[in-house]
């Protein structure tokens, strides 16, 4: 029994650490691909004699920062509008670009209501509840409903990037006083890393 106990204790130490290192390695390796944009003679291995992991990640973050710095002024904003007007003339690219842009603007700019509220909704059947994120209040779609509905995204476990999008009655949702980050931790961990127990419920839908 002691051998089993020590083995499990070791797993509890190494599994989270190993997965964390693997994810970080995957992210850094992906960002390191930005070095391929540089001429071969300017890449770190050309003047160091060996490959240095992480340089591409620094370059990627630097490019993102400089891009934000340049587009924060009037000239940069005009260039962005010109570039977007060019993309708007390409049928398929236009649909993809503006759909992704709308999502990224909502998630990263802090504007709008999308992914600002964590809800409980009845899914996949009336006796079950699932965590969901409110994405919007339906516009033209809303006029087809008899009462107020909200758009919700129900992520899957353990990969919250996939999920389902539904319109549900606002009266049949429970609004939770927890952050989106806490809800994502709960979903990714399959309920193991639970959010705080003192959840404040702002709206309650009766059974």
């Amino acid at each position: 029994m002691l051998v089993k106990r020590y083995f499990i204790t070791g797993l509890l130490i190494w599994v989270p650490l190993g997965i964390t290192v693997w994810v970080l390695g995957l992210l850094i390796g992906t960002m390191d691909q930005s070095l391929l944009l540089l001429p071969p003679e300017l890449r770190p291995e050309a003047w160091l004699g060996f490959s240095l992991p992480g340089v591409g990640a620094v370059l990627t973050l630097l490019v993102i920062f400089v891009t934000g710095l340049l587009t924060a002024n009037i000239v940069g904003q005009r260039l962005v509008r010109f570039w977007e007007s060019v993309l708007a003339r390409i049928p398929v690219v236009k649909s993809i670009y503006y759909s992704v842009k709308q999502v990224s603007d909502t998630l990263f700019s802090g504007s709008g209501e999308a992914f600002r509220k964590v809800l409980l909704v009845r899914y996949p059947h009336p006796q079950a509840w699932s965590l969901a994120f409110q994405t919007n209040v339906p516009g033209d779609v809303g006029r087809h409903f008899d009462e107020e509905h909200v758009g919700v995204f129900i992520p899957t476990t353990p990969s919250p990037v996939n999920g389902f999008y539904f319109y549900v009655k606002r009266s049949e949702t429970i609004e939770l006083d927890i952050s989106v980050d806490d809800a994502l931790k709960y979903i990714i961990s399959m309920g193991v890393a639970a959010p705080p127990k003192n959840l404040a419920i702002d709206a309650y839908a009766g059974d």
Side-chain angles (χ1 to χ4, degrees), residues 167-187:
Y167 290 113
V168 299
K169 295 180 181 179
R170 183 184 289 275
S171 61
E172 295 183 358
T173 66
I174 296 177
E175 184 174 330
L176 301 178
D177 187 21
I178 61 174
S179 67
V180 172
D181 288 340
D182 284 338
L184 286 173
K185 292 176 185 176
Y186 196 42
I187 293 167

Side-chain angles (χ1 to χ4, degrees), residues 91-130:
V92 177
V93 174
K94 174 186 176 181
S95 301
I96 298 174
Y97 176 78
Y98 281 100
S99 297
V100 175
K101 186 176 188 302
Q102 186 174 11
V103 174
S104 62
D105 286 348
T106 302
L107 293 178
F108 298 121
S109 68
S111 61
E113 293 296 323
F115 289 90
R116 295 295 177 266
K117 294 181 180 180
V118 182
L119 306 176
L120 282 177
V121 299
R122 295 186 184 274
Y123 181 84
H125 54 78
Q127 284 72 44
W129 292 92
S130 294

Side-chain angles (χ1 to χ4, degrees), residues 4-146:
K4 180 179 179 181
R5 177 184 175 184
Y6 293 151
F7 185 78
I8 292 176
T9 302
L11 284 178
L12 294 176
I13 297 297
W14 283 107
V15 169
L17 181 61
I19 292 177
T20 301
V21 172
W22 176 74
V23 171
L24 288 177
L26 183 62
L27 290 174
I28 293 175
T30 301
M31 290 192 289
D32 274 345
Q33 300 302 311
S34 62
L35 292 175
L36 299 177
L37 300 175
L38 298 176
E41 60 273 11
L42 295 180
R43 297 173 189 173
E45 56 266 23
W47 40 275
L48 288 178
F50 58 91
S51 178
L52 185 62
V55 176
V58 175
L59 175 63
T60 300
L61 296 176
L62 182 62
V63 169
I64 294 174
F65 175 78
V66 172
T67 301
L69 182 65
L70 294 177
T71 56
N73 55 53
I74 297 177
V75 176
Q77 292 175 2
R78 288 181 177 176
L79 289 175
V80 171
R81 286 196 293 268
F82 170 75
W83 174 249
E84 290 182 345
S85 66
V86 173
L87 294 179
R89 295 186 177 92
I90 309 175
V92 177
V93 174
K94 174 186 176 181
S95 301
I96 298 174
Y97 176 78
Y98 281 100
S99 297
V100 175
K101 186 176 188 302
Q102 186 174 11
V103 174
S104 62
D105 286 348
T106 302
L107 293 178
F108 298 121
S109 68
S111 61
E113 293 296 323
F115 289 90
R116 295 295 177 266
K117 294 181 180 180
V118 182
L119 306 176
L120 282 177
V121 299
R122 295 186 184 274
Y123 181 84
H125 54 78
Q127 284 72 44
W129 292 92
S130 294
L131 282 174
F133 302 110
Q134 179 177 324
T135 59
N136 63 11
V137 177
D140 293 338
V141 177
R143 61 187 177 86
H144 297 284
F145 301 134
D146 295 331

